[in-house]
Amino acid sequence: MKNITVIGSGTMGNGIAHCFAQNQFNVLLVDLSKDQLKKAITTINKNLDRQVAKEVISTQQKEETLDRIQTSTVLENSLKEADLIIEAVSENITVKADLFKKMDALTPAHCILASNTSSISITKLGSFTKRPEKVIGMHFMNPVPIMRLIEVIQGFKTDNDTLSQILTVSKALDKTPLLSQDYPGFVANRILLPMINEAIEALFQGVAGVSEIDQIMKLGMGHPMGPLQLADFIGLDVCLSILNVLDEGFSNLKYAPCPLLVNMVQAGNLGVKSGVGFYDYRVDLKKPTVASQFLSHGD
Ligand code: NAI
């Protein structure tokens, strides 16, 4: 496997492209938006600079990594040479279904179609193609260059050859692949999202403020980041989509998204990517303040 195409260059796509390129793969990064691609390359550049400053890589390795990444907005011209595609577009089944049909039609027969989906069924994505045995979940964690885990999801028809190639490629990225079967939320989000939703519910019911909830989970449970801030980093729209999949998939009220989360997504307060979520990131991304709607006595 040499030629990797990453489709979607948002929060996750740029990190995935970065990791593949840093580990000697040729990467084509595709997005509908030219501006988003520019932003992605700027982010990759900054993250590589950070690695150079920490002496994880040399300046030459940084330049070589950047040289291995090409960008494109035209899907049709981009897929003929691909050995592996990682789909990292928005968490929306209609968008992904359309893309899987196109990828199936435009790529060579040996090409594996992987999705970075947080929760959508891999079996369902496979059903939009004529090669469900080559469709697999490759769920990277955010921020991709730092987090070691790849949750690998085997769909109902994913064959063992595809699985073994993905385990090998994951290790070539210096990541740890761990296997999950294809059920709603897989493992990571089936456990994480109910916790985030409960934190939002506690805020909604006035049990405590944003800072208190996050600090209690940080200081009390040793979590590196509170659940509300983590939701901001994931993107509140992504959190809502995952909860909807869990809610629908299990028909169990415990997964129903908190109305406050629904309201915030409808208002466009999506967290870090929109500038405001539970915190306000517009002045200083590294030192966010509690968003004005949620200010309480302690803030
Ligand atoms: P995002 O909203 O930051 O980026 C999505 C990108 O896809 C945008 O740049 C958009 O222009 C592009 N796009 C949409 N439709 C497209 C198409 N048809 N062709 C090409 N590009 C297209 O989303 P994010 O957060 O990067 O999520 C991507 C995927 O990764 C989702 O499936 C999400 O569930 C999953 N994921 C997200 C995590 C997170 O922390 N945000 C963590 C792990 C997985």
Side-chain angles (χ1 to χ4, degrees), residues 10 46 93 108 123 132 139 175 230 249 294:
K46 264 194 218 150
I93 181 68
T123 307
H139 183 207
K175 305 277 188 205
L230 180 56
F294 300 118

Side-chain angles (χ1 to χ4, degrees), residues 7-13 30-32 36 88-91 95-96 99 116-118 139-140 142 233-234 238 273:
I7 307 184
S9 67
T11 311
M12 297 302 288
V30 181
D31 203 290
L32 296 173
Q36 185 62 48
V89 306
S90 324
E91 187 74 343
V95 176
K96 288 192 195 281
L99 200 54
N116 184 50
T117 179
S118 305
H139 183 207
F140 291 80
N142 184 15
F233 271 83
I234 294 171
V238 176
K273 67 177 144 191

Side-chain angles (χ1 to χ4, degrees), residues 181-193:
Q181 295 304 311
D182 186 23
Y183 290 98
F186 320 128
V187 172
N189 285 322
R190 181 176 179 160
I191 296 172
L192 177 65
L193 262 294

Side-chain angles (χ1 to χ4, degrees), residues 4-6 11-21 23 25 84-88 114-119 136-153 166 169-178 186 188-189 192 234 238 242:
I4 313 296
T5 299
V6 179
T11 311
M12 297 302 288
N14 77 69
I16 297 170
H18 173 153
C19 284
F20 274 103
N23 289 286
F25 294 92
L84 167 65
I85 299 189
I86 317 284
E87 168 279 306
S115 176
N116 184 50
T117 179
S118 305
S119 59
I136 192 162
M138 215 177 164
H139 183 207
F140 291 80
M141 304 291 130
N142 184 15
V144 183
I146 293 171
M147 300 295 277
R148 299 294 300 275
L149 173 67
I150 300 178
E151 194 179 26
V152 174
I153 302 106
I166 291 304
V169 89
S170 302
K171 287 176 195 156
L173 299 178
D174 202 21
K175 305 277 188 205
T176 304
L178 291 172
F186 320 128
N189 285 322
L192 177 65
I234 294 171
V238 176
I242 300 170

